[in-house]
Amino acid sequence: MGQHGKHRSLVMRPRQFGRYALALLAALWAGGVVAQTDTPCRQALALGLDVSGSVDEGEYRLQLDGLAAALEHADVLRALLSQPDRPIQIAVYEWSGPSHQRLLQDWATITDRTVVASIANRLRGTARIKADPSTGIGAAMIYGQRLLAGRKCETRTLDISGDGPTNTGPRPQDVRYLSGFNGITINGLVIGSGDADTDLVTYYKELVIHGFGRFVEQADDFKDYEDAMARKLLRELRGIVVSDLQ
C-alpha cells in the first residue's frame, strides 16, 4: 500500500469515531469488571530443586517424586485447598550451576485436587537431562526471584532445596539482599547434614534464607525428602493462616 493509502486508512468520519470510542469505553469497562472480580492469590510459591552433580539418578527421582507425593499428602492438600477464594499458586524448577535452571512446572493456580494431581503427574513424568554439575545457589535464587517478580499475591515464597553449599556463581549471601528480593521470603530444605567442613543447616540459616518467617527444614537424606517437603509445605501454608488471624 502506498503512503496515500496509509493516510486514508487512518481518517475516521465522525460517526465511525463515535462507534470506535464507545467500543473502546466498553472494553475498558469490561476490563475493570474482570480486574475487580479476579480471585486474589494468597501465596505464590516457587520451588527450586537441586540437580547438581552430587545428585545421582536415583536421588533425582526421589526428589521429584517426593515433591509430587508431598503435594498430594492429605494434610497438605487440605491446607492448599483451605481457602478457595484465595488460592495458592505454585511453580517448580530445577537448578544446578549458573548455566542451568529448567522450569518443570509453570505457574499453576491450585483451585482443586485435579490441579494438584496434574502437577504431581508432570513431576513424576519428568526425565532428567544433562546439566551443569556445579552448585550455584545464588543463581538459583535469582531465577526464582524472576519467577516470583510478576506474581500479584499477598505473599511470595521461594524454596531452595539443596544437598551442599554453593561452589560457583554469585554468593547467596550477596544475592538475597538485592532489591528484587524485597517482600520475598526464602526458605530452605537441606538434604543431609553437609560434610566435615560445612554444617548445611547452619550454612542455609546464615547465608541463604531471607525475609519474614524464614526457616530451614531438614531431610536426613533423599529417602526422607518426601516427609521433609510435606513438613515444610505445611509450615508455610499454616504460617499464612496464622498471619491472617493476627
Side-chain angles (χ1 to χ4, degrees), residues 169-190:
R171 303 187 308 170
Q173 61 266 40
D174 299 330
V175 167
R176 63 183 176 176
Y177 292 113
L178 296 175
S179 60
F181 285 90
N182 294 339
I184 292 176
T185 296
I186 305 173
N187 295 326
L189 198 169
V190 302

Side-chain angles (χ1 to χ4, degrees), residues 180-221:
F181 285 90
N182 294 339
I184 292 176
T185 296
I186 305 173
N187 295 326
L189 198 169
V190 302
I191 306 161
S193 57
D195 54 31
D197 298 321
T198 305
D199 178 273
L200 204 53
V201 172
T202 300
Y203 179 89
Y204 264 68
K205 284 182 176 179
E206 293 182 352
L207 303 178
V208 178
I209 63 173
H210 172 74
F212 178 77
R214 62 192 179 276
F215 68 89
V216 175
E217 185 62 64
Q218 184 177 18
D220 294 334
D221 51 33

Side-chain angles (χ1 to χ4, degrees), residues 92-114:
V92 184
Y93 66 99
E94 66 179 31
W95 62 271
S96 59
S99 65
H100 181 80
Q101 298 90 33
R102 178 169 67 138
L103 187 63
L104 305 181
Q105 170 64 59
D106 204 351
W107 288 108
T109 301
I110 310 301
T111 53
D112 54 44
R113 291 171 180 264
T114 61

Side-chain angles (χ1 to χ4, degrees), residues 50-54 95-99 131-136 167-169:
D50 181 0
V51 299
S52 56
S54 59
W95 62 271
S96 59
S99 65
D132 182 338
S134 63
T135 303
N167 56 32
T168 185

